[in-house]
């Protein structure tokens, strides 16, 4: 269905069609006023003319021009939205080089001009097929043997010309089309040499034809016909023939833009998996110091937070769910927008289910998101859940229940809505348990990247979430406790999106749900309050005991398990490096052939504590900026290891100034040494897995850096000579980098070194 994938672009197209209808309706009203008149005249010299006159109503041409300007603007907005929505849609699948550059539909008058526009990253992030379509349809390329391409080029060429003439002050008016004008004179005079003029624009008057009267005398009676018609036109309109009209040009350009929407959607529909949630303007500054708030808080009002148990307050009377949060750096305001609007061109229930899946893929990873699949059961079919999230051995089964606004009886009070919620929550609980039973048998499903993965429900720790989409949920409604083997919590869809936007990690969201699943159900809509109460408790919790030697050394530094500020709000580019790294690995042509193996690697990376990611990402970005300035005779290294207690997997991150066989081999030796050190210290060398990620800058402009991933499992069986050599290279002058722990959960320890030249 057109508009299903690019709803904003389709909305602009629908608006353009409406403006076109208003434009033609206005033209029809002007014609009804019979503003056009025809006159014939002849001078004493016998030279005469047939002339069309226009008595334009006051302001009518200006009104036509403004309607036409709105139409042209809407068409450009439609084309630009195709690019912008494609970038947003596929930001879950590929990295955008420079997200701060505006995205738009480029149209140039030369190859050099197009190259200049592309250098602005205007198409960065769209699909390759969409990119090729934009390039091949550039109007300056002229005729193409394929008529479909030529039509697209012609439509864009006309749209560019209209925009240019509007900018130069061009106005709407009329176009006189000319047939076979005739003129006659009373005897004894005769008309000779009737010469039609070339069709053209009608301003106040227009000469249709000229003629000569032979034997002209005073009061000679003239008669004839103009055989002409007046059509709507715009400055510079030049038809190719009598059947070529400006209205026809309008239809052709509208058709071309519609075809671009259809082609973009066709290409997008071929890409499997979830789409990114649309960028919400409300999320641009969800976390601001209270003194910068539009609410203009008084110090006395903020002091009231100190009397609360957790330093958390809910603000009444605002358009969004707004909270005040006390932190060690002062009081902050946290705005939580309403849930993302469903696509109006889809059935509401289907649209809401997709948004729930897309939230996890947008802020988590599409590799962990499992869209529902349908299987045959007897003569019918059944759907396996409304979507799942699978991270490591932890799984979350989603059931989404949507309440249509039309179904709400506003006269019956909250009782009917309480009954609807109780009924649907109980139904969703049964469906979650049914899915758990179904997955007790190993099942192959397709993940958010369109890749098959094997799900073994017997080794997965399942939990469930019931996501409620309700336009106006009753206040103070508390979901009833459900008797179920699978832990289940109930959330508003707004709060589901809040958790992913707050933590930006599937692992962290599932860990949070595990943490609260056994608690007393919180009132529906109060999940942000519960989150911040737990975050406040985490902030003051003492770190647990850490056996540093048990993980091969390190110096612990604590961070809360649940951050109070949204993940990445301190440095979005740095925090996003973990996600970018995962995307690079997932999309690499040399990724592990076993998708379950790849998912294990990505799960390990996603398990990095949210509070640690900004520090790690900043180290990587700073190293990537410094590496190219290294002396060509030296090799730059910036390295850091992350070691998790209670886990048989460790992570190593590194940056070097170049990607060569030498740096690959050197990085592998570093990872092998760290693997040996951790395994021998923890006594789990035979089962330990070490994953190494190396970033090296690029200078070809294709992308900013290369990502190389290595993995090592089991005993590397290093002899004493090799081990001594590795230690001499990698442990000489090693600097301690800030390691990390989480509290109150089991702690993590990191260790790193910097700037070793080989």
């Amino acid at each position: 269905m057109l508009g299903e994938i690019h709803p904003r672009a389709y909305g602009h197209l629908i608006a353009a069609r409406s403006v076109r209808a208003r434009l033609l309706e206005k033209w029809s009203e002007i014609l009804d006023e019979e503003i056009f008149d025809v006159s014939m005249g002849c001078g004493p010299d016998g030279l005469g003319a047939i002339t069309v006159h226009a008595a334009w109503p006051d302001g009518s041409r200006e009104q036509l021009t403004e309607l036409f300007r709105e139409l042209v603007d809407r068409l450009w907005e439609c084309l630009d939205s195709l690019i912008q929505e494609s970038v947003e849609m596929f930001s879950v699948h590929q990295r955008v080089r420079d997200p701060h550059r505006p995205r738009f539909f480029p149209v140039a008058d030369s190859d050099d001009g197009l190259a200049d526009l592309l250098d602005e990253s205007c198409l960065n992030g769209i699909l390759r097929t969409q990119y090729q379509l934009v390039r091949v349809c550039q109007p300056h390329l002229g005729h193409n043997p394929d008529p479909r391409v030529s039509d697209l080029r012609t439509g864009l060429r006309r749209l560019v010309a209209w925009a240019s003439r509007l900018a130069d002050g061009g106005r709407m008016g009329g176009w006189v089309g000319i047939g076979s004008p005739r003129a006659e004179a009373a005897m004894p005079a005769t008309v000779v040499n009737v010469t039609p003029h070339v069709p053209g624009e009608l301003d106040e008057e227009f000469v249709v034809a000229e003629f000569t009267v032979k034997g002209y005398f005073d009061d000679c009676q003239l008669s004839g016909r103009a055989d002409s018609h007046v059509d709507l036109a715009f400055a510079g309109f030049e038809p190719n023939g009598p059947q070529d009209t400006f209205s026809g040009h309008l239809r052709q350009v509208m058709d071309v833009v519609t075809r671009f929407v259809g082609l973009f959607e066709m290409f997008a529909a071929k890409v499997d998996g979830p789409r990114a949630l649309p960028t919400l303007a409300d999320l641009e500054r969800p976390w601001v110091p209270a003194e910068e708030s539009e609410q203009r808080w008084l110090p006395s009002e903020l002091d009231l937070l100190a009397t609360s148990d957790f330093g958390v307050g809910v603000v009444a009377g605002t358009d969004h769910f707004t909270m005040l949060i006390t932190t060690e750096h002062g009081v902050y305001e946290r705005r939580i927008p309403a849930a993302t609007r469903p696509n109006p061109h889809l059935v509401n229930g289907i649209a809401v289910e997709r948004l729930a899946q897309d939230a996890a893929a947008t802020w988590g990873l599409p590799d962990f998101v499992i869209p529902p699949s349908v299987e045959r059961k007897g003569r019918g079919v059944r759907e396996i859940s409304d979507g799942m999230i699978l991270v490591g051995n932890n799984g979350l089964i989603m059931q989404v229940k949507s309440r249509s606004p039309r179904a709400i009886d506003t006269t019956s009070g909250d009782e009917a809505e309480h009954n609807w919620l109780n009924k649907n929550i109980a139904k969703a609980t049964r469906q979650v348990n049914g899915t758990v039973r179904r997955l007790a048998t190993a099942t192959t499903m397709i993940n958010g990247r369109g890749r098959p993965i094997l799900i073994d429900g017997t080794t997965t720790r399942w939990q469930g979430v019931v996501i409620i989409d309700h336009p106006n949920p009753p206040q103070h409604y508390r979901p009833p406790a459900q008797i179920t083997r699978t832990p289940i919590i109930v959330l508003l869809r707004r709060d589901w999106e809040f958790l992913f936007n707050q933590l930006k990690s599937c692992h962290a969201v599932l860990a949070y749900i595990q943490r609260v699943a056994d608690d007393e159900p919180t009132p529906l809509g109060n999940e942000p309050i519960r989150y911040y109460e737990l975050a406040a408790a985490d902030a003051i919790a003492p770190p647990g005991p850490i056996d540093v030697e048990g993980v091969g050394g390190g110096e612990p530094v604590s961070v809360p398990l649940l951050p109070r500020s949204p993940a990445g709000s301190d440095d979005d580019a740095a925090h996003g490096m973990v996600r970018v790294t995962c995307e690079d690995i997932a999309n690499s042509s040399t990724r592990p052939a076993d998708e379950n193996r790849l998912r294990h690697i990505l799960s390990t990376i996603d398990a990095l504590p949210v509070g640690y990611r900004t520090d790690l990402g900043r180290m990587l970005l700073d190293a990537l900026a410094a590496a190219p300035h290294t002396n060509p005779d030296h090799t730059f290294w910036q390295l850091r290891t992350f070691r998790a207690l209670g886990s048989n997997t460790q992570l190593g991150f590194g940056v070097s100034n170049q990607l060569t066989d030498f740096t690959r081999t050197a990085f592998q030796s570093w990872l092998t040494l760290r693997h040996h050190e951790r395994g021998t210290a923890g006594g789990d060398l035979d089962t330990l897995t070490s994953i190494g990620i190396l970033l090296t800058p690029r200078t070809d402009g294709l992308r900013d850096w290369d990502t190389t991933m290595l993995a090592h499992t089991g005993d590397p069986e290093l002899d004493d000579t090799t081990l001594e050599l590795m230690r001499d290279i990698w442990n000489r002058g090693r600097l301690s980098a800030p390691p990390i722990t989480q509290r109150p959960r089991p702690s993590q320890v990191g260790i790193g070194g910097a700037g070793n030249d080989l």
Side-chain angles (χ1 to χ4, degrees):
M1 181 189 300
L2 196 65
E4 176 179 329
I5 302 179
H6 290 84
R8 292 206 306 272
Y10 187 62
H12 288 305
L13 180 60
I14 293 297
R17 291 173 179 171
S18 175
V19 176
R20 175 177 173 269
R22 287 158 49 203
L23 174 67
L24 297 179
E25 181 181 1
K26 181 63 180 177
W27 174 246
S28 179
E29 292 175 0
I30 293 173
L31 291 179
D32 289 342
E33 296 187 30
E34 298 182 353
I35 68 169
F36 303 116
D37 188 22
V38 178
S39 68
M40 295 183 65
C42 186
D45 56 359
L47 298 179
I50 303 175
T51 304
V52 175
H53 304 271
W56 297 99
D58 289 345
S60 58
R61 295 187 67 182
E62 288 72 17
Q63 293 174 11
L64 289 171
T65 302
E66 287 309 307
L67 284 170
F68 182 61
R69 187 189 309 277
E70 183 180 353
L71 171 61
V72 171
D73 289 344
R74 284 290 191 177
L75 292 175
W76 279 121
E77 287 169 350
C78 177
L79 293 173
D80 289 343
S81 289
L82 287 176
I83 305 301
Q84 294 155 6
E85 288 184 285
S86 295
V87 173
E88 294 168 2
M89 182 189 314
F90 295 111
S91 62
V92 297
H93 290 281
Q94 57 190 30
R95 183 173 70 210
V96 178
R97 242 178 90 189
D98 188 351
H100 303 293
R101 297 283 186 97
R103 300 302 194 272
F104 57 88
F105 193 107
V107 177
D109 57 4
S110 66
D111 288 338
D112 290 341
L114 180 62
D116 290 340
L117 292 176
L118 296 179
D119 284 344
E120 298 178 22
S121 302
C122 60
L123 296 181
N124 205 316
I126 68 174
L127 296 175
R128 184 177 297 276
T129 48
Q130 295 169 337
Y131 177 88
Q132 291 170 340
L133 174 67
V134 173
R135 293 208 62 162
V136 77
C137 292
Q138 290 297 303
H140 74 273
L141 296 177
H143 178 72
N144 187 281
D146 188 334
R148 296 169 300 180
V149 175
S150 285
D151 284 348
L152 293 175
R153 290 178 180 175
T154 299
L156 288 181
R157 188 180 303 114
R158 286 172 175 165
L159 192 57
V160 170
W162 292 345
S164 176
R165 287 169 184 153
L166 281 168
D168 292 339
R171 294 197 302 166
M172 297 295 293
W175 179 268
V176 180
I178 301 174
S180 301
R182 297 199 307 270
E184 296 178 356
M187 294 294 291
T190 59
V191 175
V192 297
N193 300 327
V194 179
T195 306
H197 276 199
V198 176
E201 296 179 40
L202 172 62
D203 188 8
E204 301 299 331
E205 62 178 36
F206 183 84
V207 175
V208 172
E210 293 181 345
F211 56 87
T212 302
V213 178
K214 186 176 181 181
Y216 178 80
F217 56 90
D218 290 342
D219 299 326
C220 179
Q221 297 297 312
L222 300 174
S223 63
R225 58 177 297 179
D227 194 24
S228 302
H229 62 277
V230 181
D231 287 324
L232 178 68
F234 179 59
F237 173 63
E238 295 180 1
N240 294 321
Q243 304 303 317
D244 190 19
T245 66
F246 186 75
S247 296
H249 287 198
L250 280 178
R251 287 194 301 272
Q252 192 267 343
V253 172
M254 293 285 296
D255 178 65
V256 162
V257 175
T258 302
R259 287 162 63 188
F260 270 114
V261 174
L263 289 167
F264 264 67
E265 297 213 332
M266 180 184 71
F267 295 144
K270 294 180 179 180
V271 179
D272 294 320
R275 309 293 188 232
L277 232 58
T279 301
L280 301 177
D282 294 323
L283 296 180
E284 291 179 359
R285 292 200 70 197
W287 181 256
V288 296
E291 59 269 19
E292 298 178 14
S293 167
E294 297 176 355
Q295 303 294 328
R296 301 182 181 275
W297 298 105
L298 298 174
S300 58
E301 294 174 316
L302 300 179
D303 289 343
L304 291 175
L305 287 177
T307 63
S308 66
D309 293 336
F310 297 99
V312 176
V314 179
V315 181
T318 59
D319 293 338
H320 298 85
F321 190 88
T322 305
M323 306 177 70
L324 289 175
I325 313 297
T326 303
T327 75
E328 65 273 20
H329 302 297
V331 179
Y332 281 76
E333 185 179 276
R334 175 66 160 104
R335 287 182 31 165
I336 302 170
T340 306
R341 288 184 179 182
N343 187 331
H345 307 296
L346 291 179
V347 175
N348 187 68
I350 296 175
V352 168
E353 289 177 14
R354 290 188 183 180
L355 287 174
Q357 301 159 28
D358 292 349
T362 298
W363 289 307
L365 272 177
D367 306 80
F368 305 144
V369 179
I370 318 294
S373 62
V374 176
E375 64 179 7
R376 182 167 296 280
K377 184 181 181 181
R379 293 187 176 182
V381 295
R382 67 177 178 184
E383 188 177 66
I384 303 179
S385 80
D386 289 336
M388 294 184 291
I389 300 176
L390 199 60
V391 186
N393 293 325
N394 294 315
L396 180 69
I397 298 169
M398 294 184 281
Q399 285 298 146
V400 183
K401 300 301 176 186
S402 179
R403 181 65 157 162
S404 170
R406 294 189 297 271
I408 298 177
D409 183 359
T410 57
T411 64
S412 60
D414 287 344
E415 182 179 357
E417 298 313 302
H418 278 252
N419 292 337
W420 182 88
L421 287 166
N422 290 338
K423 175 183 176 181
N424 280 273
I425 290 171
K427 179 181 179 180
T429 299
R430 294 192 297 271
Q431 290 171 325
V432 168
N433 288 322
T435 300
V436 172
R437 291 192 298 271
R438 168 62 186 84
L439 295 175
T441 303
T443 304
T444 298
M445 297 184 71
I446 305 300
N447 71 3
R449 295 208 190 259
R451 301 167 184 168
I453 62 170
L454 181 65
I455 300 177
D456 185 357
T458 60
T459 62
T460 302
R461 180 181 177 181
W462 291 111
Q463 54 196 341
V465 59
V466 179
I467 301 171
I468 301 295
D469 184 75
H470 197 294
N472 187 25
Q475 292 185 351
H476 311 301
Y477 171 80
R478 188 184 296 270
Q482 303 292 319
I483 301 175
T484 172
R485 292 183 178 181
T486 306
I488 295 175
I489 72 168
V490 181
L491 298 172
L492 283 180
R493 188 164 62 86
R494 178 204 67 191
D495 296 346
W496 172 254
E497 292 184 3
F498 155 74
L499 289 176
F500 276 97
N501 174 252
Q502 178 74 17
L503 295 169
K504 292 184 173 65
S505 161
C506 286
H507 179 276
V509 171
L510 265 62
Y512 172 82
I513 292 176
Q514 287 177 357
R515 182 173 176 177
V516 303
D518 294 330
D519 294 347
E520 182 76 13
T522 191
L524 190 64
N526 279 15
E527 201 60 51
I529 298 175
R530 174 160 64 177
Y531 175 93
Y532 275 108
E533 289 176 348
L534 293 174
D538 283 4
I540 61 175
I546 301 173
D547 178 12
V548 175
E549 296 303 321
V551 291
E555 190 175 315
V557 176
S558 294
V559 294
L561 180 63
L562 299 177
R564 284 178 287 192
S565 60
S569 59
D570 53 345
D571 189 341
D572 186 61
H575 187 276
M577 284 296 291
V578 172
R579 170 60 184 272
V580 168
T581 299
C582 289
E583 289 291 332
D584 286 349
I585 294 171
N587 288 302
S588 170
S589 60
T590 57
R591 66 180 186 272
D594 181 356
E595 291 297 332
N596 285 68
R597 169 73 168 165
L598 172 63
R599 189 167 53 82
H600 170 70
I601 292 171
L602 296 175
S603 299
T604 302
I605 301 172
D606 191 53
L608 281 166
V610 175
Y612 178 62
R613 295 187 180 194
T614 297
D615 180 67
L616 172 63
R618 179 44 53 195
M619 182 274 286
L620 294 174
L621 285 175
D622 289 347
L624 283 168
H629 303 292
T630 304
N631 186 317
D633 296 330
H634 295 77
T635 303
F636 174 94
W637 292 102
Q638 180 90 19
L639 303 162
R640 184 170 294 183
T641 310
F642 183 84
R643 296 167 174 171
L645 289 175
S647 170
N648 63 348
T649 304
Q650 72 171 346
L651 290 170
F653 294 86
V655 175
S656 186
N657 59 320
Q658 53 189 326
L659 182 61
T660 64
D661 290 340
F662 169 73
T663 53
R664 285 193 190 94
T665 302
F667 184 68
Q668 184 173 20
S669 74
W670 171 81
L671 182 66
T672 303
L673 175 62
R674 297 294 175 256
H675 180 83
H676 174 86
E677 291 175 338
R678 160 66 196 274
T680 53
D684 58 352
L685 186 58
D686 291 335
T687 58
L688 176 68
T689 295
S690 295
I691 299 169
I693 299 162
L694 175 66
L695 307 182
T696 48
R698 293 178 65 126
T699 58
D700 58 1
L702 181 62
R703 55 180 181 269
D704 295 331
W705 61 81
D706 283 316
T707 301
T708 304
M709 192 275 294
L710 303 172
H712 205 315
T713 301
D715 189 350
E717 299 181 353
L718 300 176
D719 57 56
D720 291 343
T721 302
T722 302
L723 186 59
E724 183 66 25
L725 177 61
M726 287 181 172
R727 285 172 173 164
D728 184 58
I729 294 173
W730 294 114
N731 291 353
R732 181 184 56 204
R734 190 172 68 193
L735 303 176
S736 294
I740 195 74
T741 67
Q742 291 189 128
R743 58 177 191 266
R745 295 302 188 195
S747 301
Q748 313 280 347
V749 179
I751 181 172
N756 296 323
D757 285 339
L758 296 182

